Amino acid sequence: MQLQYSFIIPVYNRPDEIQELLESFEALKGPIDFEIVIVEDGSTQTSKAVVDSFNSKLNISYYFKENSGPGDSRNFGMQHAKGNYFIILDSDCILPQTYLLEADKSLKADYVDCFGGPDAAHESFSNLQKAINFSMTSFITTGGIRGNKNSVDTFQPRSFNMGLSKKAFLDSKGFGRIHPGEDPDLSIRLWNLGYKTKLIPEAFVYHKRRISWSNFYKQVHKFGLVRPILNKWHPTTKKITYWFPTLFSLGLIVSILLFLIGFKWFLLGYACYFALAFVLAVFNTKNIVVSVLAIPAILIQFFGYGYGFLKATLAVSIFNKTPETHFPKLFFKLK
């Protein structure tokens, strides 16, 4: 099958991000043709002027629609795309020059109907962005679920960097209304339909993560909230490892309390863990400031996710609450 690529990019009030992303499209290497579909999701600060400035340089289609969330906007973009293989990106990503060459090479060698690629921190990113990137991607924190080829079995692509064939989109009907969590939900439904997914490590993106400490906490808290909902929808995908951030956080609190009454060994174990995380961050980032910031990033990630996971588990698994009514902010209402 001849692959015809369509990049699908939802955007909401981020014209500056679209500028950077489209500039990285201009710099892509290789003779592979592609189109770009920008879906403006009800923005008040539109990207149309930015997109128009690239019309003579790139094959771009631009659509404006009412706000209905990133999942529905991706579906909208795929419905209007001309290609037979879609590559979905977040607007806060930047492509390395060899991105499409690497994705195309891997798909031609070992075709799958859905792939995912990792994210990385660009040298131009702030120290905070680099620290959060380390926390979100390191094996010591997430076990490699976002793109470590040595630590994942059946990979669940993430929608900041995800490929999906037109056939798989039509069969699965695309993304659902939950957000975040719409990407693992789609991956699981694709598996149930018999489709395979894989990681393409070389097809990585630079993921800016427009973020502060408070926004990072809100983000990972939502990640924790949606996982028990996905576990209830797809019970065969439950894993004990999803409990790790909750148990880690509760254990740290208990260790601090025990330290106050003279039992120091439990807290010493946590100190060793964070010392190891610091050393790995230094090795990974070559930056002492980033490595220091990685420690609070890990704490925020574990406490935010762990608390959200525990709260949603109690609600949907113990008290049988309906996710859509108990956590309405996690679900977009379609127009």
Side-chain angles (χ1 to χ4, degrees):
M1 178 178 67
Q2 181 66 37
L3 296 179
Q4 300 168 325
Y5 295 103
S6 296
F7 285 88
I8 312 298
I9 306 162
V11 59
Y12 181 71
N13 287 338
R14 300 288 173 175
D16 291 343
E17 289 178 355
I18 289 297
Q19 175 79 31
E20 289 184 297
L21 178 52
L22 292 180
E23 287 172 355
S24 73
F25 272 109
E26 279 191 291
L28 285 179
K29 292 182 177 180
I32 304 170
D33 290 331
F34 59 88
E35 70 162 338
I36 304 168
V37 180
I38 306 289
V39 182
E40 194 88 61
D41 187 24
S43 301
T44 55
Q45 303 174 43
T46 75
S47 304
K48 189 174 188 310
V50 173
V51 173
D52 286 346
S53 70
F54 285 87
N55 276 337
S56 61
K57 312 168 193 174
L58 296 168
N59 180 15
I60 307 181
S61 299
Y62 173 88
Y63 298 93
F64 184 95
K65 53 179 279 298
E66 290 188 61
N67 179 255
S68 58
D72 186 56
S73 295
R74 297 180 193 116
N75 292 343
F76 180 94
M78 288 186 282
Q79 289 164 355
H80 290 79
K82 300 179 179 68
N84 59 17
Y85 208 100
F86 310 129
I87 299 180
I88 300 155
L89 302 173
D90 278 358
S91 64
D92 59 347
C93 290
I94 299 172
L95 297 179
Q97 292 182 339
T98 58
Y99 176 90
L100 189 53
L101 286 174
E102 295 292 354
D104 184 68
K105 176 183 174 182
S106 179
L107 289 172
K108 286 179 177 176
D110 177 27
Y111 180 81
V112 293
D113 285 278
C114 181
F115 78 85
D119 52 347
H122 193 270
E123 60 183 11
S124 66
F125 289 3
S126 70
N127 287 336
L128 176 58
Q129 288 172 320
K130 292 176 181 177
I132 289 174
N133 180 79
F134 173 81
S135 180
M136 291 287 283
T137 60
S138 174
F139 176 81
I140 199 174
T141 55
T142 61
I145 62 170
R146 296 177 70 90
N148 186 316
K149 64 181 177 181
N150 296 318
S151 58
V152 293
D153 295 317
T154 306
F155 182 62
Q156 293 182 4
R158 297 299 194 264
S159 54
F160 63 83
N161 179 13
M162 180 180 190
L164 184 67
S165 73
K166 183 175 183 178
K167 182 177 186 300
F169 166 64
L170 294 175
D171 285 352
S172 65
K173 298 182 173 55
F175 295 94
R177 294 190 299 112
I178 193 170
H179 178 72
E182 70 274 22
D183 32 15
D185 172 61
L186 175 56
S187 295
I188 296 165
R189 289 189 285 110
L190 288 171
W191 297 339
N192 292 338
L193 290 168
Y195 289 102
K196 293 182 180 179
T197 63
K198 75 172 181 178
L199 168 70
I200 303 180
E202 299 79 12
F204 68 91
V205 298
Y206 298 113
H207 197 186
K208 291 195 75 170
R209 292 197 180 89
R210 49 181 115 91
I211 215 144
S212 63
W213 289 127
S214 61
N215 286 338
F216 183 46
Y217 176 83
K218 292 175 184 176
Q219 181 186 57
V220 294
H221 182 67
K222 285 185 175 181
F223 289 162
L225 287 174
V226 301
R227 181 53 67 177
I229 298 173
L230 297 177
N231 288 345
K232 187 166 186 176
W233 289 353
H234 310 288
T236 59
T237 64
K238 289 182 181 179
K239 294 180 182 178
I240 192 67
T241 51
Y242 293 143
W243 278 96
F244 177 71
T246 302
L247 297 176
F248 182 97
S249 302
L250 292 174
L252 180 55
I253 293 171
V254 171
S255 297
I256 292 172
L257 294 176
L258 290 174
F259 178 81
L260 295 176
I261 60 175
F263 295 93
K264 63 182 181 180
W265 297 109
F266 292 101
L267 191 58
L268 183 60
Y270 278 91
C272 291
Y273 172 86
F274 284 113
L276 176 60
F278 176 79
V279 171
L280 290 176
V282 171
F283 179 80
N284 182 271
T285 68
K286 311 295 190 295
N287 188 312
I288 295 295
V289 175
V290 171
S291 303
V292 170
L293 290 174
I295 304 306
I298 292 170
L299 282 168
I300 290 171
Q301 181 174 317
F302 281 172
F303 273 87
Y305 185 101
Y307 174 53
F309 184 86
L310 180 61
K311 183 165 62 174
T313 297
L314 292 173
V316 303
S317 298
I318 305 301
F319 297 110
N320 267 334
K321 300 290 185 182
T322 303
E324 289 86 345
T325 55
H326 196 71
F327 299 109
K329 292 184 179 179
L330 297 178
F331 295 86
F332 277 92
K333 294 181 179 179
L334 301 184
K335 302 296 182 182

